[in-house]
Amino acid sequence: MPAPGEEVYSRAFDVQPGGSFNAACAMHRLRLNVGWACDFGNDLFSQFALEAARKEGLDDSLFRLHARPLRRVTAAASFPEDRAFLSFADPEPKFSAGLRAAVKARTKVAYFPGLLWGEFFWLTVPYLKALGTKVVMDGNSQAETLENPRVRAAIGQVDVFCPNATEARALTKADTTRDALNALGELCP
């Protein structure tokens, strides 16, 4: 990585939609009936992702368009052993597309692309579970740990929790991935 004042040129460059787009596309390509609840702004990055979703043929009935920027941008530097990220996100809408979708959609599985434990989670997950919906949650977070009792409780409510190894170790403060998985398995077997 460059130090302050230095510049490094990479061998390649690309711009791709990412995040929950990847999961929605993968499920769609497997011919699963995917409903992707997503908020898009009027900014360049939102429009780029929206165009890619439509080109992919994703159902846009759960998309919600906002007349303001709603940027979620990550610059990733890839290395053979891992990658590094620099991210930015505009403030989320008070009531997200996911909350609206949870009320009207009927699905067998609901996928949450990040570690959720706030008001949105507690408004939607009990409702989804009452409908018999399986809840799958990714482990991507902003430096949360199991020391937060609400994070522990949220992980205990989902049917499948799928952090990557780095996220699992950070979340549990464990030295090894095995220890992290054991700690998380006590909450969400």
Side-chain angles (χ1 to χ4, degrees), residues 17-118:
S20 57
F21 174 87
N22 293 338
C25 276
M27 289 183 269
H28 176 73
R29 289 174 183 177
L30 290 170
R31 302 205 189 311
L32 299 174
N33 184 11
V34 177
W36 181 31
C38 190
D39 292 282
F40 294 94
N42 61 3
D43 58 276
L44 174 69
F45 297 104
S46 290
Q47 295 307 305
F48 176 75
L50 181 59
E51 182 181 322
R54 289 182 171 151
K55 184 177 178 183
E56 185 71 31
L58 292 173
D59 176 2
D60 66 359
S61 64
L62 300 178
F63 293 177
R64 188 165 166 218
L65 307 177
H66 298 268
R68 69 171 178 90
L70 194 52
R71 298 163 294 181
R72 297 176 196 97
V73 182
T74 297
S78 296
F79 303 96
E81 67 281 353
D82 206 344
R83 60 217 190 283
F85 302 103
L86 179 61
S87 297
F88 170 82
D90 284 311
E92 294 290 328
K94 182 168 175 73
F95 297 104
S96 73
L99 181 59
R100 292 178 59 191
V103 173
K104 68 180 189 177
R106 297 294 178 264
T107 119
K108 293 180 181 179
V109 177
Y111 169 73
F112 294 94
L115 175 60
L116 302 178
W117 53 272

Side-chain angles (χ1 to χ4, degrees), residues 82-170:
D82 206 344
R83 60 217 190 283
F85 302 103
L86 179 61
S87 297
F88 170 82
D90 284 311
E92 294 290 328
K94 182 168 175 73
F95 297 104
S96 73
L99 181 59
R100 292 178 59 191
V103 173
K104 68 180 189 177
R106 297 294 178 264
T107 119
K108 293 180 181 179
V109 177
Y111 169 73
F112 294 94
L115 175 60
L116 302 178
W117 53 272
E119 182 180 9
F120 169 79
F121 181 88
W122 295 106
L123 287 172
T124 57
V125 170
Y127 175 78
L128 291 169
K129 293 191 71 96
L131 294 174
T133 301
K134 298 289 184 194
V135 177
V136 178
M137 186 164 64
D138 194 301
N140 188 18
S141 75
Q142 299 295 316
E144 291 301 329
T145 70
L146 293 184
E147 292 173 351
N148 181 335
R150 293 187 74 198
V151 169
R152 292 178 68 84
I155 293 170
Q157 289 297 306
V158 300
D159 298 292
V160 178
F161 182 59
C162 47
N164 66 32
T166 302
E167 293 164 346
R169 287 191 308 272

